[in-house]
Amino acid sequence: MVPRDMSERKNPYPFDVFEPKWQHVWDEEKTFKVHNPGEAGFDAAKPKCYILDMFPYPSGAGLHVGHPEGYTATDIVSRYKRMRGFNVLHPMGWDSFGLPAEQYAIKTGQHPSITTYANIDNFRRQLKMLGFSYDWDREIATTDPHYVRWTQWIFLRLYHSYYNTELKKARPVKELEDKGWSREEIDAVRLAYVADGMVNWSPDMGTVLANEEAEEWKSKGFTVERRKLRQWMLRITAYAERLIDDLDNLDWPESIKLLQRNWIGKSTGAEVNFDCNGKTITVYTTRPDTLFGATYMVLSPEHELVPQITTPEQEQAVKAYQAECAAKSDLERTDLAKEKTGVFTGAYATNPVNGKQIPIWIADYVLTGYGTGAIMAVPAHDSRDYDFAVKFELPIIQVVQPDDPATPWKDFCGYDGTMVNSEHFNGLPVPEAKAKMISWLEEKHYGHGKVNYKLRDWLFSRQRYWGEPFPIVWGEDGHHYAIPESELPLLQPEMEDFKPSGDPRGPLVKAKEWIHYSDKATRETNTMPQWAGSCWYYLRYIDPKNDNAFVGADAEKYWMAGNQKPGGVDLYVGGTEHAVLHLLYARFWHKVLYDYGLVSTPEPFNKLVNQGLILGEDGQKMSKSRGNVVNPDDIVRDYGADAIRLYEMFMGPLKEVKPWATKGVEGISRFLARVWRIAMVENQEGEWVLGGKVSDADEKTVTPARKELHKTIKKVTEDIEDMSFNTAISKMMECTNAMTQAESVSVVDYATLLQLLNPFAPHITEELYSILRGAFPQLGACQLSALPWPAYNPEYLVENTREIVIQVNGKLRDKLTVPVDITKEDLEAQALAAPRVKEFTEGKTVRKVIVVPGRLVNVVAN
RNA sequence: GCCGGCUUGGCGGAAUUGGUAGACGCGCUCGACUCAAAAUCGAGUUCGAAAGAGUGUGGGUUCGAGUCCCACAGCCGGUACCA
């Protein structure tokens, strides 16, 4: 047994007794249950507020202290909003598909669902131990067959859809069938489609990996290789424009919006056709204005025209270079990014603007997958082309003169410049030249304006057991077919051996019976990535038990659309690690559903807040290997749930990265004990009983403590709205100190403080309030959580006098206490008469006096 | 390299958005209570003996700058030849 170092210490207040007690009450009474429109108990008069946490992956390690950070923040806002008269939807669930459970199953032979559900039980216990006000009746797990059914249903919706570029929305492929499109033509435009592509394949794990996963597993010693495999893709690129444009209206951190914009990577430019012995080579450029500076052309080594244009003399060199590139992985390519390589093809292309012949090279700095896989090189005004040109001694022609004379033209890539050496474009500013060149190209049919995105389609299949199987079968004709909705959910077969099959079709190929769909069709053996479940879970919370739809229309309209402007989830809190992928994928799925009118808002999450990482006590990232991981179970055992909640909110601003300090939890625990002891005293037997300090006398006098209380109501209200929880707590500390110092405290005032503190520390405040209710019948019969949020009385905030700062030449020299309604003239006169002011203006001339009413007087003298 | 963020006492962090820098908490010091300790309560705590200095560094705007502008440095995160 690990010795408890706190075992000798008596708890400063009996949290170990009343925290479980109140958690039990909330559970039994379903205190935080919220109803949908149409259900008994639904109050249509109240506005809605949907407050969402990023649901956790229930790992075997249990909660870490990062979870309660975001979860406490949303819990405070949820409890506050309920008191302000909102119907609050505040749910929790589990992102329960995932690799660790599968890896464990491979090792032990135990079905992954066993560990998954055991882990969920542990997570649920821990979250309940922290007193979060979730509506547990809405709990969901992405691994639940009822949930899997609808994940697959949405997938089929994607499968049956194409993107109509005129309407700019998803439409059923049925429309195309009706127009007589062929099977192949339709398959080529589906939002969910099959393609052969280069993917990261790990033979050790027997699965493909996303690019961002590949590096991580490689560093853990797994082998990852590039392999051309048939994979399911989702056509997220069709939505690139909408995904970028709709960011504008979202109440998200600008930094996250920027991250998404960069990820989608929109660029505007032109496609330009170059002639090469009658063959047309199309390049993409963002700088058509620099066409006169194009001195050579580069194709990617994999470009389809390379074999056709290469001259016999260069054939050997070109083939050798292509082989060299094919052997390189993506990682190796980027590692060697600094040093440019390439080979001349022997061919020349004609520059359409001036008819000049320019050499065509191949080089791996031109990527196959972006633009047209071919570029015109303008070494004077592109650093990559510049490096290449220098290395291979290709000509460099200036076509832009920087506006700033101090900037050299060589390698100048900016837009602040004027065209030179460009015939009739000379003298034009760059942006104008760019526009003019595009019109010229279009007029002469040499090219056209073009927008490109970095975003690639989403590799959606995995070769795993513990994921949603695709609801797809393959026919004898080699085509894929959707299974009927009535066959959903399609669950994984029962298997005993979860080991990778070594077959790139994944472990499910081993389930022979399951694969056999009919005599004419076999099942798809791939499964969906973990992202699938998290793409729409916020919609399922709205109507978690609906068997007829993934979400009921009325409930969806109420909780998502509501009465606010852009609509969607009102507050979504989680870590930055999901800034791009999860938040982009979920937005994409949501937009597809929106196109069909299945959801009523174009965006899922109206307001997003990222909580900052909590570092270990040593200021390093928490990790098992560093031994600096803090376990919430230990903190709750030693200090209680209210203390850890309050501490995590007091550490600093929610959004900042901040280090853990257990000493700080002690400080918070002392604060809560002081709140406790305002009302409670220990009797001879060592039991806590109500003391005499809190009384029902004196409801009217303006005492310092009462003044402080009303300032605190104002501050805490504003700070919760701002999510500035740390300053709200420090204000409540000041108020508590004022009450501690007071001779006696009115029970109404004390109860008001408890109410302000209730969203932060719900257990101790409910406990104290229930004890007070026993002695003061005027407090009524309900829990604090059922009371309306208190309002401050402005009369208590009015001050008669005010301290004014007196400065001489901007330096603090004196302070005056004056009536608040003093005139400017009087204040100035008093300031000038102040002895300290006289001392510092002695022998000087007063040049100017600045009077800021209610704040300061600055005397300027020299 | 490019893009973003951060930098305030011994420590975590406040600062009405251009107006008393250091709220609140931790830590530390002293005192009360105690045989003693813990707990609790009270006082003090930016540096400096003082004049004075002081919000990463250097400049600027202003009566007045942690806050606005310019340049630079350090740390953290994202991204990686996207033409």
Side-chain angles (χ1 to χ4, degrees), chain A residues 515-573:
Chain A
I515 292 178
H516 179 86
Y517 181 74
S518 72
D519 288 341
K520 294 186 172 160
T522 54
R523 289 193 193 277
E524 168 64 60
T525 55
N526 279 317
T527 54
M528 299 185 200
Q530 201 183 350
W531 304 111
S534 59
C535 266
W536 71 284
Y537 74 111
Y538 57 95
L539 293 169
R540 190 60 181 171
Y541 284 138
I542 290 170
D543 200 4
K545 302 205 166 66
N546 195 325
D547 281 333
N548 302 313
F550 71 101
V551 61
D554 289 347
E556 190 279 332
K557 251 184 213 85
Y558 179 72
W559 290 113
M560 290 297 282
N563 20 25
Q564 8 228 322
K565 263 289 140 89
V569 171
D570 297 270
L571 176 65
Y572 192 23
V573 175

Side-chain angles (χ1 to χ4, degrees), chain A residues 388-436:
Chain A
F388 192 83
V390 169
K391 178 160 175 190
F392 294 103
E393 297 176 331
L394 292 154
I396 298 169
I397 299 173
Q398 180 193 11
V399 289
V400 177
Q401 178 59 42
D403 291 337
D404 177 3
T407 309
W409 64 265
K410 265 193 191 183
D411 207 9
F412 173 75
C413 310
Y415 275 64
D416 316 321
T418 307
M419 303 314 296
V420 295
N421 299 327
S422 299
E423 299 179 12
H424 52 289
F425 289 89
N426 284 341
L428 288 178
V430 166
E432 224 173 285
K434 186 172 164 178
K436 205 176 158 189

Side-chain angles (χ1 to χ4, degrees), chain A residues 108-121:
Chain A
T108 60
Q110 197 178 46
H111 196 276
S113 70
I114 296 172
T115 35
T116 299
Y117 287 99
N119 289 346
I120 287 177
D121 287 343

Side-chain angles (χ1 to χ4, degrees), chain A residues 804-807 818 822-832 848-860:
Chain A
I804 303 292
V805 170
I806 312 298
Q807 299 179 331
V818 299
I822 190 168
T823 63
K824 254 183 135 169
E825 291 71 26
D826 287 351
L827 182 56
E828 182 173 336
Q830 277 200 36
L832 287 169
K848 200 171 173 185
V849 182
I850 288 111
V851 181
V852 184
R855 228 174 265 291
L856 61 68
V857 177
N858 189 12
V859 180
V860 184

Side-chain angles (χ1 to χ4, degrees), chain A residues 23 47 49 53 103-104 107 114 149 175 230 276 328 341 345 411 424 434 498 519 522 594 662 664 737 788 833:
Chain A
Q23 286 155 17
C49 191
D53 288 306
Q103 300 284 70
Y104 189 75
K107 249 196 290 181
I114 296 172
R149 173 184 175 189
E175 289 180 356
R230 188 211 71 196
C276 172
K328 279 192 222 166
T341 59
T345 61
D411 207 9
H424 52 289
K434 186 172 164 178
F498 307 99
D519 288 341
T522 54
Y594 176 69
T662 300
N737 292 343

Side-chain angles (χ1 to χ4, degrees), chain A residues 191 231 235 281 318 404 497 573 585 624 694 763 770:
Chain A
L191 291 185
Q231 298 293 324
R235 204 177 299 280
I281 303 175
V318 165
D404 177 3
D497 172 17
V573 175
Y585 294 154
K624 244 191 238 167
V694 173
H763 309 87
S770 78

Side-chain angles (χ1 to χ4, degrees), chain A residues 643-655:
Chain A
I644 188 174
R645 290 172 58 117
L646 211 54
Y647 172 66
E648 293 208 10
M649 295 300 98
F650 186 62
M651 291 172 84
L654 182 67
K655 296 164 197 164

Side-chain angles (χ1 to χ4, degrees), chain A residues 319-601:
Chain A
K319 281 197 168 153
Y321 184 72
Q322 284 177 319
E324 192 185 312
C325 292
K328 279 192 222 166
S329 70
D330 268 12
L331 295 172
E332 283 166 320
R333 273 199 184 191
T334 50
D335 281 350
L336 302 165
K338 285 141 225 148
E339 192 58 25
K340 295 274 183 292
T341 59
V343 175
F344 179 43
T345 61
Y348 289 84
T350 311
N351 187 337
V353 291
N354 53 14
K356 275 193 188 164
Q357 293 292 102
I358 57 173
I360 304 173
W361 287 61
I362 62 169
D364 68 357
Y365 84 91
V366 173
L367 307 174
T368 315
Y370 184 77
T372 60
I375 62 154
M376 63 177 208
V378 184
H381 306 297
D382 181 287
S383 12
R384 296 152 303 182
D385 298 344
Y386 180 79
D387 292 346
F388 192 83
V390 169
K391 178 160 175 190
F392 294 103
E393 297 176 331
L394 292 154
I396 298 169
I397 299 173
Q398 180 193 11
V399 289
V400 177
Q401 178 59 42
D403 291 337
D404 177 3
T407 309
W409 64 265
K410 265 193 191 183
D411 207 9
F412 173 75
C413 310
Y415 275 64
D416 316 321
T418 307
M419 303 314 296
V420 295
N421 299 327
S422 299
E423 299 179 12
H424 52 289
F425 289 89
N426 284 341
L428 288 178
V430 166
E432 224 173 285
K434 186 172 164 178
K436 205 176 158 189
M437 181 63 86
I438 291 172
S439 337
W440 184 87
L441 287 168
E442 284 172 355
E443 209 174 290
K444 303 272 181 190
H445 302 287
Y446 288 136
H448 54 91
K450 170 90 182 174
V451 173
N452 262 333
Y453 298 93
K454 282 200 274 185
L455 186 70
R456 303 297 158 83
D457 277 338
W458 174 12
L459 172 61
F460 194 66
S461 43
R462 300 290 184 273
Q463 291 70 45
R464 287 182 188 156
Y465 176 79
W466 197 224
E468 301 89 344
F470 281 77
I472 294 286
V473 294
W474 291 83
E476 287 175 314
D477 56 2
H479 288 308
H480 42 72
Y481 295 90
I483 62 172
E485 274 178 33
S486 58
E487 291 178 23
L488 302 183
L490 170 65
L491 303 180
Q492 309 92 328
E494 286 302 323
M495 286 169 67
E496 271 159 32
D497 172 17
F498 307 99
K499 281 188 200 69
S501 59
D503 186 318
R505 289 175 298 171
L508 292 185
V509 293
K510 290 189 282 188
K512 295 274 186 288
E513 273 179 47
W514 183 84
I515 292 178
H516 179 86
Y517 181 74
S518 72
D519 288 341
K520 294 186 172 160
T522 54
R523 289 193 193 277
E524 168 64 60
T525 55
N526 279 317
T527 54
M528 299 185 200
Q530 201 183 350
W531 304 111
S534 59
C535 266
W536 71 284
Y537 74 111
Y538 57 95
L539 293 169
R540 190 60 181 171
Y541 284 138
I542 290 170
D543 200 4
K545 302 205 166 66
N546 195 325
D547 281 333
N548 302 313
F550 71 101
V551 61
D554 289 347
E556 190 279 332
K557 251 184 213 85
Y558 179 72
W559 290 113
M560 290 297 282
N563 20 25
Q564 8 228 322
K565 263 289 140 89
V569 171
D570 297 270
L571 176 65
Y572 192 23
V573 175
T576 347
E577 65 272 23
H578 296 118
V580 179
L581 298 181
H582 159 62
L583 287 170
L584 203 61
Y585 294 154
R587 291 180 63 218
F588 163 46
W589 277 36
H590 193 90
K591 285 181 183 304
V592 175
L593 297 172
Y594 176 69
D595 289 347
Y596 281 104
L598 295 168
V599 297
S600 35
T601 62

